[in-house]
Amino acid sequence: MFNLSKLSAGWLPTMSRLQRLEVLRCLSSILVLVVLLLQQSNADVGTAGHYNPPYTPTACFGYDPLQFPSSFLFAAAGEGIWDNGAACGRQYWVRCISADRPKTCNPAQLVQVRIVDRALSAVSRSSSDRATIVLSKTAFEAIAKPSASSVNIEFVQV
């Protein structure tokens, strides 16, 4: 087993304070990268379309206005995640990773959406047939240019 106390007793005290800070900064950067890589490995890949109002009634909560988050970041589940209605109320982190046209995605933007509907039975038509997730207009515009009808996404259940 690796003994850090022997290592630090050997070379760490001989380093200047600036060098020690640099080593700690490098180690923390490596740790952050490892965490990000592990988180990304848990994500699924799919497609997202968008839809516009009217959003009610929904397959999950009918006409209840409280079903929609105040941020308007919500979605309809495609058949791949619908799970016989068990998807209702689930929340997902969604990020755009690519599209047909360059510079469509805002890959730095991540949105958390709540499933409130089933894409196949949504009152408003989706911009993309067979999408994994159909995002509200607000959610879609946060991660991609609104002119796109469909984008490729990474998503993970919260």
Side-chain angles (χ1 to χ4, degrees):
M1 183 145 202
F2 189 71
N3 188 340
L4 187 58
S5 62
K6 285 183 182 179
L7 177 66
S8 63
W11 60 271
L12 199 55
T14 63
M15 299 174 84
S16 72
R17 180 185 168 117
L18 186 60
Q19 288 172 324
R20 285 190 296 247
L21 287 173
E22 186 64 25
V23 167
L24 289 174
R25 189 176 68 80
C26 288
L27 289 174
S28 65
S29 295
I30 291 169
L31 180 62
V32 167
L33 287 173
V34 167
V35 168
L36 288 174
L37 288 173
L38 289 175
Q39 286 179 340
Q40 287 182 355
S41 67
N42 292 331
D44 289 312
V45 176
T47 58
H50 56 86
Y51 67 135
N52 296 311
Y55 296 117
T56 55
T58 66
C60 294
F61 307 105
Y63 287 96
D64 183 0
L66 298 177
Q67 68 184 303
F68 302 109
S70 59
S71 63
F72 291 100
L73 299 176
F74 57 88
E79 292 306 293
I81 63 170
W82 175 243
D83 195 17
N84 249 3
C88 292
R90 286 183 188 158
Q91 295 193 33
Y92 290 90
W93 284 107
V94 181
R95 180 174 75 99
C96 181
I97 55 174
S98 67
D100 289 341
R101 292 189 205 135
K103 298 184 181 179
T104 298
C105 290
N106 180 2
Q109 187 64 39
L110 192 67
V111 293
Q112 184 175 344
V113 296
R114 179 176 188 230
I115 300 297
V116 298
D117 207 350
R118 181 181 189 185
L120 280 181
S121 61
V123 174
S124 183
R125 182 141 172 88
S126 168
S127 64
S128 174
D129 293 337
R130 292 185 253 155
T132 309
I133 296 177
V134 180
L135 300 170
S136 66
K137 180 181 178 193
T138 304
F140 190 88
E141 289 177 357
I143 64 167
K145 290 184 178 173
S147 58
S149 61
S150 176
V151 294
N152 297 312
I153 58 167
E154 279 184 337
F155 65 100
V156 64
Q157 187 177 342
V158 176

